[in-house]
């Protein structure tokens, strides 16, 4: 079972690297603050890492098609590991400053722009290959992508507490070395995995816009997901502000994030059972509409138990929505186009999340955290339901000419019989 082994290696490598990232994120700001003495510098590496991802539609069009095998994914992982190791190495030598942090972040961001969609595409290709060896289409590509997302969400729950314990034990700098080693190990595990090439007649380097031609459902899914990412700040920043204003700093956010993490794990298991039984676009639209309802509920009933329960429900709905879009992509594309669409999805998520965080503070300051949660929920639900309505109307317009033609043929047939 080569496909099964490859899937296991890709999932294990990606999961271990992501867990190490979640753990190291607790230590990174502390190391930077300790070495530079600057609070402003603590976010430089993370902020710089987002820039190449946002600009990837322009600079990465050729590069992302190069990452079409496990060995090439390993090369990118090596570059990422070097970028990660720059920070603890510079700290050990006493050379850590803003320039090192920015350079490390930019290198890491370039690697993320290539490795994240590249690993997902390889995993989906492996699922297709697994289907072929077992006979019949069982959508193992979307199942594997759902497992990948579920493992990542488990890391979101487990990683920060582990990181906090390690920092308490005095292992702060060591966590950064562990993250670099985990990323390198993930690349080595991918060596030998073979990706599926696209149709030779397809464009060798399709743009994101070209890859969306004939795939309007993917675009609709991105609109719904992008809106959810845009309003995500109301959950994270909003709950942080509410806790601070009520004299319980961190309590509301901890309740919401804990519930969200648990719900997302449950959602992963649920999606594996329902994703192949429900039409993807309605599932995605309804999922983000329900997430919007959860935001509204948090704004109206803002207590830690209510926030935890609604956070758990939102975690379930988000995972179902993401799985639905993954199914749309894996069923309609392969090879170069699949890598392009997965890259486009990464850009949508990062760009909308960054935009939300950029405007989040001023919006909360003007409207208040509770009102922002309600407004964000209304916007998210309205866009998701609007996407479903637009798609339904579009499908009705496209089917109308066919129905008219069938009616004409049916009428002519009876006229001929009468004659």
């Amino acid at each position: 079972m080569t496909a099964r082994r490859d899937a296991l290696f890709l999932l294990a490598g990606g999961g271990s690297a992501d867990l190490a990232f979640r753990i190291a994120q607790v230590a990174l700001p502390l190391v930077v603050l300790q070495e530079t003495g600057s609070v402003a510098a603590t976010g430089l590496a993370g902020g710089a890492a987002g820039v190449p991802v946002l600009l990837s539609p322009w600079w990465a069009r050729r590069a992302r098609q190069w990452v079409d095998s496990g060995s090439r994914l390993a090369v990118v992982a090596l570059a990422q590991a070097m970028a990660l190791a720059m920070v603890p190495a510079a700290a050990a030598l006493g050379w850590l400053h803003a320039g090192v942090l920015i350079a490390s972040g930019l290198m890491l961001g370039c690697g993320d722009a290539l490795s994240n969609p590249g690993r997902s595409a390889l995993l989906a290709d492996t699922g297709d290959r697994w289907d072929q060896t077992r006979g019949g289409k069982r959508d193992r590509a979307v199942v594997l992508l759902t497992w990948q997302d579920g493992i990542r969400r488990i890391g979101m729950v487990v990683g920060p507490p582990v990181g906090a314990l390690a920092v308490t034990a005095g292992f702060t700098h060591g966590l950064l070395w562990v993250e670099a080693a985990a990323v390198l190990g993930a690349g080595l595990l991918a060596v030998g995995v073979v990706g599926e090439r696209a149709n030779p007649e397809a464009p060798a380097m399709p743009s994101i816009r070209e890859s969306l031609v004939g795939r309007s459902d993917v675009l609709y899914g991105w609109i719904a997901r992008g809106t959810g990412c845009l309003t995500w700040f109301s959950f994270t920043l909003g709950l942080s502000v509410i806790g601070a204003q009520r004299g319980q700093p961190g309590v509301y956010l901890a309740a919401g994030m804990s519930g969200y993490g648990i719900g997302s794990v449950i959602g992963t298991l649920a999606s594996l059972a329902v994703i192949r039984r429900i039409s993807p676009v309605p599932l995605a639209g309804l999922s983000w509409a329900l997430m919007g309802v959860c935001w509204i509920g948090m704004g109206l009933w803002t207590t830690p138990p209510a926030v935890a329960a609604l956070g758990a429900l939102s975690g379930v709905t988000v995972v179902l929505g993401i799985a639905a879009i993954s199914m749309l992509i894996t069923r309609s594309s392969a090879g170069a186009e699949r890598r392009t669409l997965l890259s486009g999805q990464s850009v949508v998520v990062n760009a909308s999340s960054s935009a939300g965080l950029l405007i989040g503070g001023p919006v909360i300051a003007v409207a208040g955290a509770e009102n922002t949660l309600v407004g964000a929920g209304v916007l998210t639900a309205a866009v998701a339901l609007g996407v479903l309505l637009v798609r339904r109307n579009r499908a009705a317009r496209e089917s109308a000419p066919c129905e008219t033609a069938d009616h004409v043929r049916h009428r002519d047939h009876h006229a001929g019989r009468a004659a």
Side-chain angles (χ1 to χ4, degrees):
M1 289 295 296
T2 302
R4 185 174 184 177
R5 181 204 64 194
D6 289 350
L8 179 61
F9 283 178
L10 288 170
L11 288 173
S16 61
D18 188 76
L19 177 60
F21 165 74
R22 305 293 173 185
I23 294 172
Q25 285 305 289
V26 179
L28 179 60
L30 300 177
V31 171
V32 174
L33 184 60
Q34 177 183 340
E35 297 297 326
T36 66
S38 171
V39 175
T42 57
L44 278 178
V51 174
V53 178
L54 294 177
L55 298 179
S56 61
W58 292 273
W59 70 264
R61 182 172 177 178
R62 293 176 179 271
R64 64 185 171 224
Q65 301 303 337
W66 182 80
V67 188
D68 60 0
S69 67
S71 58
R72 292 181 174 182
L73 183 63
V75 173
V76 177
L78 175 61
Q80 289 177 291
M82 292 173 62
L84 290 168
M86 286 173 61
V87 175
L93 296 172
W95 296 345
L96 188 61
H97 51 77
V100 173
L101 293 171
I102 293 173
S104 173
L106 291 175
M107 287 180 59
L108 186 61
C110 290
D112 286 344
L114 301 179
S115 66
N116 291 339
R119 181 178 294 275
S120 296
L122 279 175
L123 195 58
D125 292 345
T126 302
D128 289 343
R129 189 153 39 92
W130 194 347
D131 280 342
Q132 293 171 4
T133 59
R134 301 291 290 185
K137 184 68 173 177
R138 299 187 62 182
D139 285 317
R140 282 191 175 87
V142 71
V143 170
L144 292 178
L145 289 178
T146 302
W147 272 115
Q148 177 181 249
D149 188 62
I151 292 171
R152 182 176 65 86
R153 294 178 184 279
I154 292 173
M156 292 171 62
V157 177
V158 176
V162 173
L165 290 174
V167 167
T168 303
F171 199 56
T172 307
H173 286 71
L175 292 181
L176 303 184
W177 288 111
V178 168
E179 183 185 9
V183 169
L184 180 60
L188 293 176
L189 280 174
V191 173
V193 177
V194 179
E196 295 294 329
R197 298 282 183 172
N199 186 332
E201 298 180 358
M205 289 171 291
S207 67
I208 295 172
R209 180 179 297 180
E210 290 169 348
S211 296
L212 285 172
V213 174
R215 297 184 178 93
S216 57
D217 284 351
V218 175
L219 177 60
Y220 293 149
W222 284 0
I223 292 172
R225 185 177 182 181
T227 305
C229 292
L230 176 68
T231 59
W232 178 255
F233 76 89
S234 65
F235 179 58
T236 54
L237 295 181
L239 291 179
S240 296
V241 171
I242 289 172
Q245 290 176 341
R246 298 187 180 186
Q248 295 178 293
V251 172
Y252 288 84
L253 180 59
M257 290 302 295
S258 297
Y260 178 84
I262 294 171
S264 64
V265 174
I266 296 172
T268 299
L269 300 176
S271 64
L272 295 172
V274 305
I275 187 62
R276 288 174 286 184
R277 297 177 174 86
I278 302 177
S279 181
V281 174
L283 177 60
L286 290 175
S287 294
W288 269 285
L290 283 174
M291 190 188 81
V293 172
C294 291
W295 289 175
I296 295 173
M298 290 181 195
L300 297 176
W301 299 286
T302 315
T303 63
V307 167
L310 291 168
L313 178 58
S314 68
V316 174
T317 61
V318 167
V319 172
L320 288 172
I322 293 173
I325 298 175
S326 296
M327 174 167 284
L328 289 171
I329 293 174
T330 56
R331 280 182 172 178
S332 66
S333 63
E337 287 192 324
R338 178 178 286 177
R339 285 188 292 275
T340 300
L341 288 171
L342 291 171
S343 298
Q345 180 165 251
S346 179
V347 172
V348 168
V349 171
N350 282 279
S352 54
S353 299
S354 298
L357 291 173
L358 182 65
I359 67 173
V363 170
I364 291 174
V366 171
E370 292 89 343
N371 291 334
T372 299
L373 275 165
V374 173
V378 171
L379 175 62
T380 303
V383 170
L385 294 176
V387 162
L388 292 181
L389 181 62
V390 169
R391 179 184 182 267
R392 188 185 69 175
N393 291 340
R394 183 173 182 272
R397 287 196 304 269
E398 291 176 349
S399 64
C402 297
E403 293 174 356
T404 303
D406 289 340
H407 175 73
V408 170
R409 285 194 296 268
H410 184 68
R411 182 195 61 195
D412 291 346
H413 172 69
H414 283 282
R417 289 182 60 185

